[in-house]
Amino acid sequence: MKRLILLFFFSCFLGSNAQELALSNIGEDTLLSDKLMGNNSDESQSEFVKYLDGLNNKKLNNYLGKKGVAEKLVQRGNAYFNKMWYAEAARIFDIVLEKTDTKHTYEILSKAGDSHYYTGNLEKSYKWYNELYRLYEDKINTDTFYKYTQTLKGTGKYRRAAALTKILRQKRDEPLNELESLNTNTWKGATQVTIKNLDINSKYSDFSPMFHNDSDIVYASAKDSSILTTRRYRWTNQPFLDLYVSKKKNDDGDLLPPKKFSKKINTKYHEASSAFSPDQKTIYFTRNNYGKRLKRGKNGINHLKIYRSQNIDGQWTSAEELPFNSEDYSTGHPTVSPDGKKLYFVSDMPGGFGETDIYVVDILENGAFSEPKNLGGAINSDTKEMFPYVTENSLYFSSNRPMGYGGLDVYKSDGSDETFAGAMNLGEPINSNRDDFSYIVDASTGKGYFASNRKGGKGDDDIYSFAYTPNLNAITGVVEDLDSGEALPSATVLLLQGNRMINETTVDEMGHYSFPDLNPTSNYMVVAKKEGYLNDSLAIQTADNKNIVVTQKLKAEIKQSAAEAIVKTFEPNNVYFSFDSYEITPSSAQELDKLITVLKSNKGLSLKIESHTDAIGSKAYNKYLSEKRAKSTKDYMVSQGIDPSRIISITGFGEDRLLNNCGDSQSCPPGQHRLNRRSEFILIAE
């Protein structure tokens, strides 16, 4: 993801370039001076990159082979980088690093990675960050380290990203025991969602949709709609943002070809992130701070401000800035509460929790505003929170906080009137391994729009429609006695996916159970069990929004008489298992073969199998794993010629019967844990 384009507000503009731009860096490249707005000098430098790209390999190599050319290219790349012309800087650094013998220094690799990162090319950014980390691990700073982890997530390397995130937190002296809180809390509603890329998207950045009137969508776009040559934002070499309006084409979320929103609103600089009052007569939007020309704060940066315009007799008035704006920090991304009494927005004003926070003000009857109030630590983190959207009962926003799916993710927090609960990640497919943001939803229909620079789009950032529909994917069933066919009330049923138990329930008096709200066309394992019965495991694949009905029949364990004697003449060694595995290893097979020989030589012997686990992991999962170990032990013996009827029972005890003190609260060496990962045997003389 890139650095927010105009600040964090247009963080979505320019393909993730809108996302990453830190507020503090914005104005410097935002065409803040006439010089950066396209004079002959600037154009000639842009033409230089075009010239290089126009050379064939032979001519380019000849040019690069001339004495001093590589050094001059590095200087030019540095100049582009310092002006925040990241698209052009990235191209120069690529040429230097890939086609010359220039030493891959920390500075060049870092700037190459940053240039691609800020313009949204995460694959290329990862390439240079990864080399930087490999060559200069001890030197790399925490900011670059963080961006490196973001490119790992953005290119699908989640495990590596998680491992390095832990290292980053250690470098920041953040306790390891806090890492538990980094696990993504993902919202799972009783619905499923379908998304669709819209036809209105251009090859540039399109984002920040907002409902307007009954059938319009207003959004921001960098599309070049001018007949004449359009000035470009040099950060990503795209045109400046304007607001566009498009009418809904149908109930599926499609939109008709757009037109520019209003000449009174759009200027030669950036306009984006709009919101409307309930009566649709007032618009709030984000714009560069400017009068006749762009203005800079004390730190020399051109900040963003929120503006307001009124619709009078069908025409929008000239926009006025809101009173809580500042020359020295940015405000933007406005959204209005459904009752029109509150305005939520984003700012990097001093005193916040992170880089950008979400704030709220009261909209007073006279059109004035209360003092801004930070929404607090339940919503804001030490990273970026952006693009708030409020419904009657929920707040939606985007954040790049750790352990999400990618760059910016969409989060949902239930509540109202400035009081919101902890945020939940909306999960896939709304969120991806790239930037996902500016989410809006019609709470009455479950339909809405959001923007993303995920792979497969038409341009930089694209707008997607989505629709939530009732999730009918479920597994319902009944548990019965195999012999009598009668229901088995109070039986326990586990639902597993892979090695993870995701639900557990107890059947009712009729033996019925249900697991609702499952994923479509996904593989699950349902395990039914009851004391005195052998477990039954059933592999099930869900359909496409359908309920799968199953019946599980449990076989009663064979009862042994009191006269049965345990054979003491042979005590087989325990069969051991690898960590989190129920496969029979070669050494365990050798032990089982000895037992099989005894059984084959003594036809009057029967067998009970009892399997166990160590205490690593949850008790529920360990119980399931021990049962799988008992079954795999039995399956091996049957495969070697033992009659299944001679194996009276197989039981998994999980971690309940440890052979040592290696419980949940004890730290033990691997060898001690291994002693508990075993199958044991009881030989019975009939």
Side-chain angles (χ1 to χ4, degrees):
M1 111 182 129
K2 327 171 182 160
R3 253 201 177 182
L4 181 55
I5 184 167
L6 296 169
L7 205 13
F8 62 83
F9 301 118
F10 293 135
S11 58
C12 23
F13 161 158
L14 307 182
S16 130
N17 21 348
Q19 283 65 330
E20 256 320 302
L21 180 51
L23 295 179
S24 60
N25 292 335
I26 296 310
E28 304 207 342
D29 167 68
T30 328
L31 299 187
L32 305 184
S33 68
D34 292 336
K35 183 176 182 180
L36 291 183
M37 285 198 240
N39 62 18
N40 292 334
S41 173
D42 292 342
E43 285 303 316
S44 64
Q45 298 204 38
S46 180
E47 290 300 321
F48 174 72
V49 176
K50 292 180 181 179
Y51 167 76
L52 292 180
D53 287 339
L55 297 177
N56 59 36
N57 285 334
K58 183 177 180 180
K59 290 183 178 180
L60 180 60
N61 289 334
N62 288 338
Y63 172 71
L64 297 175
K66 295 179 180 179
K67 184 177 180 180
V69 166
E71 290 78 5
K72 290 181 179 179
L73 284 178
V74 171
Q75 293 175 6
R76 189 180 289 266
N78 289 336
Y80 289 164
F81 187 88
N82 292 336
K83 290 182 178 181
M84 296 184 183
W85 297 1
Y86 293 120
E88 290 153 323
R91 182 66 186 123
I92 294 295
F93 288 130
D94 282 350
I95 292 174
V96 170
L97 292 170
E98 294 174 345
K99 296 183 177 295
T100 75
D101 295 329
T102 302
K103 182 180 178 181
H104 290 200
T105 65
Y106 180 94
E107 181 184 13
I108 295 176
L109 288 171
S110 177
K111 288 182 177 179
D114 286 350
S115 297
H116 284 295
Y117 182 80
Y118 295 151
T119 52
N121 188 339
L122 295 189
E123 287 80 6
K124 210 58 180 286
S125 181
Y126 162 74
K127 175 181 178 179
W128 301 129
Y129 283 152
N130 190 54
E131 183 176 346
L132 180 71
Y133 183 75
R134 190 164 44 83
L135 296 178
Y136 304 99
E137 178 180 351
D138 295 335
K139 187 179 177 182
I140 195 168
N141 60 51
T142 55
D143 179 61
T144 302
F145 195 92
Y146 172 76
K147 288 180 285 190
Y148 176 38
T149 63
Q150 294 296 93
T151 65
L152 286 167
K153 287 193 292 184
T155 52
K157 302 171 181 65
Y158 289 106
R159 290 188 178 181
R160 177 69 171 160
L164 291 184
T165 296
K166 292 183 179 181
I167 295 174
L168 176 61
R169 288 177 67 83
Q170 286 177 304
K171 286 187 174 184
R172 292 175 173 174
D173 294 324
E174 296 170 341
L176 286 180
N177 59 12
E178 291 184 4
L179 290 174
E180 295 296 327
S181 65
L182 292 181
N183 293 330
T184 300
N185 182 14
T186 303
W187 179 73
K188 294 288 288 184
T191 55
Q192 61 181 5
V193 59
T194 56
I195 67 172
K196 180 168 57 175
N197 189 294
L198 300 182
D199 291 338
I200 63 165
N201 289 311
S202 67
K203 66 179 181 179
Y204 298 115
S205 186
D206 305 281
F207 70 99
S208 206
M210 182 55 64
F211 298 116
H212 179 44
N213 295 325
D214 293 328
S215 59
D216 293 348
I217 294 294
V218 175
Y219 69 99
S221 177
K223 64 187 296 181
D224 189 353
S225 59
S226 173
I227 330 180
L228 305 175
T229 302
T230 301
R231 293 180 309 104
R232 298 195 168 237
Y233 177 59
R234 300 304 290 270
W235 184 292
T236 53
N237 204 26
Q238 292 191 20
F240 275 78
L241 292 165
D242 277 331
L243 292 178
Y244 287 78
V245 60
S246 178
K247 289 191 175 295
K248 294 181 182 178
K249 183 178 181 180
N250 51 42
D251 290 336
D252 294 331
D254 295 314
L255 300 175
L256 294 170
K259 62 180 181 180
K260 285 199 172 183
F261 182 68
S262 168
K263 291 182 179 179
K264 288 285 188 178
I265 303 297
N266 291 321
T267 67
K268 59 183 178 180
Y269 299 112
H270 289 297
E271 282 80 30
S273 300
S274 62
F276 294 88
S277 60
D279 63 5
Q280 304 296 300
K281 297 297 184 181
T282 303
I283 182 176
Y284 302 89
F285 63 93
T286 311
R287 174 190 285 168
N288 300 87
N289 176 25
Y290 85 102
K292 293 183 177 180
R293 58 184 301 169
L294 287 166
K295 298 179 181 179
R296 296 175 182 265
K298 294 177 182 178
N299 52 7
I301 293 173
N302 172 249
H303 291 287
L304 298 180
K305 291 184 175 182
I306 300 174
Y307 289 78
R308 173 174 61 182
S309 174
Q310 308 289 335
N311 191 302
I312 300 176
D313 297 329
Q315 298 294 320
W316 292 101
T317 61
S318 296
E320 60 176 353
E321 67 170 272
L322 300 191
F324 51 82
N325 291 329
S326 173
E327 302 293 322
D328 298 315
Y329 56 79
S330 289
T331 56
H333 298 184
T335 188
V336 180
S337 61
D339 61 8
K341 295 181 178 180
K342 294 183 183 297
L343 178 74
Y344 296 81
F345 65 95
V346 176
S347 178
D348 64 341
M349 67 177 63
F353 286 83
E355 298 175 58
T356 59
D357 282 7
I358 299 175
Y359 291 80
V360 62
V361 293
D362 294 323
I363 303 175
L364 306 179
E365 291 185 2
N366 61 359
F369 300 89
S370 65
E371 291 296 316
K373 177 182 177 182
N374 190 297
L375 287 192
I379 298 299
N380 295 312
S381 69
D382 60 357
T383 57
K384 291 183 176 72
E385 276 68 48
M386 305 180 184
F387 300 101
Y389 179 75
V390 180
T391 63
E392 288 187 3
N393 300 307
S394 298
L395 166 69
Y396 299 88
F397 63 93
S398 288
S399 175
N400 65 343
R401 59 190 60 184
M403 305 310 289
Y405 286 81
L408 287 174
D409 277 5
V410 180
Y411 288 81
K412 174 179 185 282
S413 177
D414 293 328
S416 60
D417 295 331
E418 306 173 26
T419 303
F420 296 98
M424 294 176 288
N425 190 300
L426 286 193
E428 296 176 319
I430 295 297
N431 290 318
S432 67
N433 63 349
R434 295 304 180 92
D435 292 310
D436 307 287
F437 52 96
S438 60
Y439 175 101
I440 62 172
V441 61
D442 182 338
S444 64
T445 65
K447 298 178 180 181
Y449 301 87
F450 71 99
S452 176
N453 66 340
R454 64 188 60 191
K455 288 186 176 180
K458 294 182 174 67
D460 197 341
D461 298 313
D462 279 3
I463 297 176
Y464 292 77
S465 67
F466 68 84
Y468 285 101
T469 57
N471 183 6
L472 303 180
N473 291 300
I475 297 174
T476 59
V478 61
V479 180
E480 300 176 347
D481 184 290
L482 176 63
D483 297 322
S484 67
E486 295 181 354
L488 291 178
S490 301
T492 299
V493 185
L494 307 178
L495 180 68
L496 300 104
Q497 194 168 38
N499 291 332
R500 184 169 61 97
M501 189 183 79
I502 59 177
N503 207 342
E504 179 179 358
T505 189
T506 302
V507 303
D508 61 20
E509 293 183 356
M510 302 301 294
H512 294 146
Y513 68 88
S514 178
F515 294 115
D517 305 330
L518 302 181
N519 295 324
T521 60
S522 299
N523 294 316
Y524 293 92
M525 177 72 71
V526 177
V527 180
K529 58 185 183 177
K530 184 176 174 65
E531 186 175 354
Y533 289 83
L534 300 178
N535 294 351
D536 179 73
S537 298
L538 187 62
I540 301 173
Q541 184 182 56
T542 53
D544 186 8
N545 221 29
K546 293 182 180 179
N547 179 32
I548 305 297
V549 181
V550 298
T551 299
Q552 291 175 277
K553 297 181 179 292
L554 304 187
K555 181 179 181 180
E557 292 181 343
I558 300 174
K559 303 297 182 181
Q560 301 298 313
S561 68
E564 291 174 343
I566 299 177
V567 174
K568 297 182 181 294
T569 56
F570 179 80
E571 295 182 359
N573 293 326
N574 295 335
V575 174
Y576 294 102
F577 295 86
S578 300
F579 174 71
D580 196 25
S581 172
Y582 52 84
E583 294 184 1
I584 302 299
T585 64
S587 60
S588 294
Q590 290 180 1
E591 289 299 320
L592 288 175
D593 289 343
K594 296 176 185 178
L595 178 57
I596 290 168
T597 300
V598 172
L599 290 173
K600 288 182 176 180
S601 301
N602 298 272
K603 300 298 184 181
L605 294 180
S606 296
L607 180 70
K608 289 184 177 181
I609 301 173
E610 297 179 348
S611 296
H612 312 268
T613 70
D614 55 34
I616 301 173
S618 68
K619 285 183 177 293
Y621 177 69
N622 284 337
K623 187 71 164 58
Y624 164 74
L625 180 60
S626 66
E627 292 165 355
K628 297 291 286 184
R629 287 174 174 173
K631 185 177 184 301
S632 67
T633 303
K634 175 184 176 180
D635 291 344
Y636 178 82
M637 299 181 72
V638 171
S639 72
Q640 299 302 309
I642 299 301
D643 189 333
S645 65
R646 297 180 66 188
I647 302 177
I648 298 173
S649 66
I650 58 173
T651 307
F653 289 94
E655 60 185 78
D656 292 342
R657 297 185 179 183
L658 301 177
L659 296 177
N660 47 37
N661 294 322
C662 296
D664 292 331
S665 60
Q666 297 296 323
S667 177
C668 291
Q672 293 297 308
H673 283 300
R674 177 180 176 276
L675 293 176
N676 294 313
R677 299 193 288 264
R678 68 200 190 278
S679 280
E680 297 176 330
F681 309 93
I682 301 175
L683 286 168
I684 306 296
E686 298 181 358

